[in-house]
Amino acid sequence: MENDSTYNKCVRTESGFLALDLKEKQEVDKVKLWPEVSGQVIPLYVAKNSQLKLDEYQWFDELRPKKPYEVLDISELMREMISQPWEMTKPKEETEAPDVDDRYVENETL
């Protein structure tokens, strides 16, 4: 957010861990990412709609704890969800470029 309360950039980052410090009313105060962080900053005027949303993200409001003591409760719906296997889609395998030495055959008759 800029000083005039406008947003003009989308930040897409990846990291092993993330922690948020929140202000009152669930406003983000600080985002901490570690140990290694990669990503990009995209100006909003050039960002595609698909870049503004997380792929395959789902919000399960009915599973979210509403009170602090509910953090330790596991609902029946949560137990059902945990028991189901979840498979990540594997990235497409990249074909390896041929080794530079394999592209050329030496002519020994010269």
Side-chain angles (χ1 to χ4, degrees), residues 55-90:
D55 298 334
E56 299 183 23
Y57 178 80
Q58 296 180 22
W59 182 264
F60 297 101
D61 192 52
E62 64 275 5
L63 297 175
R64 186 176 67 85
K66 309 292 190 277
K67 300 175 183 163
Y69 62 84
E70 292 179 348
V71 171
L72 302 175
D73 292 339
I74 300 175
S75 68
E76 192 59 39
L77 184 59
M78 178 65 88
R79 288 182 197 281
E80 203 175 297
M81 208 170 158
I82 293 170
S83 68
Q84 302 295 321
W86 185 78
E87 295 181 17
M88 286 181 48
T89 55
K90 295 180 182 176

Side-chain angles (χ1 to χ4, degrees), residues 3 12 14 19 43 59 79:
N3 291 338
R12 292 184 61 98
E14 293 183 13
W59 182 264
R79 288 182 197 281

Side-chain angles (χ1 to χ4, degrees), residues 1-108:
M1 182 186 298
E2 299 296 322
N3 291 338
D4 63 354
S5 301
T6 61
Y7 293 97
N8 62 8
K9 295 175 190 72
C10 172
V11 179
R12 292 184 61 98
T13 59
E14 293 183 13
S15 179
F17 297 93
L18 173 135
L20 291 173
D21 291 344
L22 300 174
K23 296 180 186 177
E24 293 180 25
K25 298 183 182 179
Q26 302 290 320
E27 292 178 14
V28 176
D29 183 38
K30 185 186 276 188
V31 178
K32 296 175 266 189
L33 303 154
W34 74 94
E36 296 173 10
V37 180
S38 63
Q40 62 187 138
V41 177
I42 306 164
L44 285 179
Y45 65 90
V46 295
K48 297 177 185 171
N49 197 24
S50 62
Q51 293 175 307
L52 301 175
K53 298 181 180 182
L54 297 172
D55 298 334
E56 299 183 23
Y57 178 80
Q58 296 180 22
W59 182 264
F60 297 101
D61 192 52
E62 64 275 5
L63 297 175
R64 186 176 67 85
K66 309 292 190 277
K67 300 175 183 163
Y69 62 84
E70 292 179 348
V71 171
L72 302 175
D73 292 339
I74 300 175
S75 68
E76 192 59 39
L77 184 59
M78 178 65 88
R79 288 182 197 281
E80 203 175 297
M81 208 170 158
I82 293 170
S83 68
Q84 302 295 321
W86 185 78
E87 295 181 17
M88 286 181 48
T89 55
K90 295 180 182 176
K92 295 178 184 174
E93 291 183 21
E94 294 181 20
T95 56
E96 291 184 29
D99 193 23
V100 174
D101 296 332
D102 293 342
R103 290 188 224 165
Y104 304 99
V105 178
E106 290 183 27
N107 188 345
E108 296 179 10

